[in-house]
Amino acid sequence: MALCFSNNISEIQKEVRQIMRKIFVLLVLWAWFPVNGQELPRSEPSKERVSSLAIIQFLDTLEQSEHEMHSLMVVKNGKVIAEGWWDPYQSDIKQTMYSVSKSFTATAIGFAVKEKLLSVDDRVLSFFPDHSPEDEASYLYDLRVRDLLTMSVGHEKDMTFDVIAQDDWPSQFLKIPIIKPPGTHFVYNTIATYMLSAILQQITGETLLQYLQPRLFEPLSIVNVDWETDPMGVNVGGYGLRLKTEDMAKFGQLMLQRGQWHGQQLLPIRWIVDASSVHIFQEPTAPVEKREVSDWHQGYGYQMWRSRHQSFRADGAFGQYILVLPELGSVVAITSETDNMQALLNLVWEFLLPGLDVEEPTPEKDSSLRQRLEGLYISPFVGIANTSLEEELQKKRFEFTANDWGMNTLKLYFNDDQLKLVLTDDNQESFPLEFGKGTWLQSETLRKGPNLAGNAKGAMEGLAPFLVAGSYGWKDDSTLVAKLNYLESPHTETIEIVFEDKDNISLCIYSMVKGKDKSMPVKGSRLSDMAQVLSIP
């Protein structure tokens, strides 16, 4: 009897230890995972075994680089240990994600799979039976949801820009010849991602944005999100999502935690593993030397790229990144404008990566890093003084010759170290643009800025007004430079006006999207005094 009692005690103690272990794990999860309605928790780099000195060196290198950084957030062990926004960009401003949007679209498909609304092996034509081709041997019959997810439709090239210029995107997509067996050949294919969104809306009756709201955005406390739509009201899927830097970091943290958030398994672990694993290579025959130096030759998952250093990422044009580094328990979110995305990643690997898990952190540098992050800024345009010409040009209006930009007139106002340029288009719609002299002046505009998908039917409709920051100065005695940063996008426009004499101007507009447009410069001439009086203000 005593022996039996002893055994019972032993079993009870064992159960108690198991319960205590579970409680401990739960407490860790509560400490690790953000509580609904809150931001990610904050910590000091040194407390999470991160070198502040390494981050400072990363910032130093960025300052000397070709890249225009807009924001940086580094998360370690579920806690933000470094965050900064380059003025005039701010933490509460959402920004266009470009192809980072694709990873969110794939996540919506993950939820739909979890809810058994579809399977990745479902045939695409099963959702669009009216578009079945007459040729029964067509590869279109073999196209699966999985092939859309992995960019392996079988198209010869990406036809996105042709399709989005039309009214009916699904019909146009399904007309594109599939020349290779689906699932065998990688071609980057943004319109394929759009089809995932169209399929989701077909089976749920909700847009991609509406569907993700209670499943992803609300649990992660991601608010004020918007997403561009096609002419039929379908979220474009492959681009067009706008959210904040911390929202990017939260999404990355969800991926790092394999779908778990605040102790709740939002997405199955299996889905996260599949989405972040290699399903196809961009260039299977690429030599080892090429793969060793390129983050675009590590393989592709479900709308996510594999990267070097056993990492994976969501990745958007001009330098929008959500880097997930499972071996280091880290997430890095970056927004920027760069035309050399590999070079920016190289700096992350060279300077930031080594400092994410160190034996001897640098606590004495934590405060220095904090101060540095608080003082980040993009230099406004600073020029020479030209008061006499500004006085002569005050309220003067210039009329342009016919041009591809649809610009009709330009009027200038100078007042208290501020410039207001008023552009009117051929429809007589007026667009005031405001700039500070040698400093940033924040305002709003209805004018659509540079956009890689600007040729899409209905592009950026319903998103205005757009938040901008402008600065201006005189490059020389006759050249005015006005720099306009569209704060909700990666892009900057530089407007350069040369006053050839008091009556004639030439105008150029540059951006990283269009470069130096071949239709530039646009010529203009000053309206007569009577025409100035009669013209639209």
Side-chain angles (χ1 to χ4, degrees), residues 377-441:
Y377 68 96
I378 298 171
S379 297
F381 186 86
V382 178
I384 65 172
N386 202 353
T387 307
S388 58
L389 186 53
E390 288 185 4
E391 291 174 351
E392 185 178 342
L393 294 171
Q394 176 72 340
K395 297 184 181 181
K396 294 297 186 285
R397 181 186 291 272
F398 293 82
E399 186 174 38
F400 295 113
T401 56
N403 59 83
D404 295 339
W405 285 68
M407 291 187 300
N408 186 270
T409 66
L410 166 70
K411 193 168 186 178
L412 300 99
Y413 299 83
F414 294 93
N415 185 42
D416 294 333
D417 289 335
Q418 293 183 10
L419 164 66
K420 181 163 75 171
L421 294 178
V422 181
L423 287 168
T424 59
D425 62 18
D426 290 340
N427 298 318
Q428 296 303 314
E429 188 172 359
S430 180
F431 300 100
L433 304 172
E434 299 180 355
F435 306 84
K437 180 181 280 188
T439 188
W440 293 111
L441 178 63

Side-chain angles (χ1 to χ4, degrees), residues 172-223:
Q172 293 299 318
F173 173 87
L174 294 168
K175 290 177 183 177
I176 301 171
I178 299 178
I179 62 170
K180 297 188 178 181
T184 65
H185 182 70
F186 179 91
V187 169
Y188 197 75
N189 201 331
T190 295
I191 199 64
T193 314
Y194 161 81
M195 290 300 290
L196 294 170
S197 176
I199 288 170
L200 188 79
Q201 189 158 331
Q202 190 92 332
I203 61 177
T204 66
E206 294 181 295
T207 66
L208 183 59
L209 184 59
Q210 290 169 338
Y211 182 74
L212 282 176
Q213 199 66 44
R215 294 165 176 83
L216 178 69
F217 296 135
E218 287 179 9
L220 271 60
S221 300
I222 295 176
V223 298

Side-chain angles (χ1 to χ4, degrees), residues 327-345:
E327 292 187 350
L328 296 172
S330 300
V331 173
V332 179
I334 289 173
T335 61
S336 67
E337 185 177 37
T338 178
D339 59 1
N340 192 340
M341 294 176 65
Q342 182 63 70
L344 180 52
L345 276 179

Side-chain angles (χ1 to χ4, degrees), residues 77-90:
N77 298 333
K79 301 167 187 174
V80 177
I81 51 90
E83 57 187 311
W85 285 261
W86 278 254
D87 184 64
Y89 295 85
Q90 301 166 17

Side-chain angles (χ1 to χ4, degrees), residues 118-278:
L118 55 69
S119 159
V120 295
D121 290 317
D122 286 346
R123 308 288 176 179
V124 171
L125 276 178
S126 69
F127 306 102
F128 305 96
D130 294 342
H131 292 81
S132 299
E134 293 181 5
D135 181 5
E136 294 183 2
S138 171
Y139 283 136
L140 185 57
Y141 283 104
D142 300 324
L143 184 64
R144 301 166 299 170
V145 171
R146 182 191 305 277
D147 305 320
L148 300 177
L149 286 165
T150 58
M151 301 282 188
S152 58
V153 173
H155 290 162
E156 183 178 14
K157 61 180 180 178
D158 184 8
M159 299 294 290
T160 296
F161 292 107
D162 296 287
V163 172
I164 64 177
Q166 310 301 317
D167 290 310
D168 186 343
W169 296 10
S171 294
Q172 293 299 318
F173 173 87
L174 294 168
K175 290 177 183 177
I176 301 171
I178 299 178
I179 62 170
K180 297 188 178 181
T184 65
H185 182 70
F186 179 91
V187 169
Y188 197 75
N189 201 331
T190 295
I191 199 64
T193 314
Y194 161 81
M195 290 300 290
L196 294 170
S197 176
I199 288 170
L200 188 79
Q201 189 158 331
Q202 190 92 332
I203 61 177
T204 66
E206 294 181 295
T207 66
L208 183 59
L209 184 59
Q210 290 169 338
Y211 182 74
L212 282 176
Q213 199 66 44
R215 294 165 176 83
L216 178 69
F217 296 135
E218 287 179 9
L220 271 60
S221 300
I222 295 176
V223 298
N224 300 323
V225 180
D226 54 41
W227 208 322
E228 289 188 55
T229 61
D230 76 345
M232 298 189 295
V234 178
N235 289 131
V236 296
Y239 63 93
L241 175 65
R242 300 195 306 176
L243 39 71
K244 299 182 289 294
T245 306
E246 184 156 353
D247 301 332
M248 298 168 71
K250 288 177 179 179
F251 181 80
Q253 189 65 28
L254 178 68
M255 296 297 109
L256 181 65
Q257 293 166 184
R258 295 192 168 193
Q260 196 172 61
W261 195 260
H262 191 45
Q264 182 183 2
Q265 194 71 41
L266 300 184
L267 274 167
I269 295 174
R270 181 73 257 168
W271 177 265
I272 302 298
V273 172
D274 283 348
S276 59
S277 298
V278 175

Side-chain angles (χ1 to χ4, degrees), residues 286-323:
V288 174
E289 301 79 25
K290 190 173 185 178
R291 293 188 184 186
E292 286 178 345
V293 298
S294 173
D295 287 287
W296 277 264
H297 285 85
Q298 307 303 312
Y300 197 74
Y302 289 167
Q303 305 287 291
M304 282 194 280
W305 298 89
R306 291 295 306 182
S307 309
R308 290 176 291 171
H309 306 287
Q310 299 302 311
S311 65
F312 61 93
R313 71 187 190 278
D315 173 312
F318 302 100
Q320 324 318 309
Y321 292 114
I322 305 174
L323 293 168

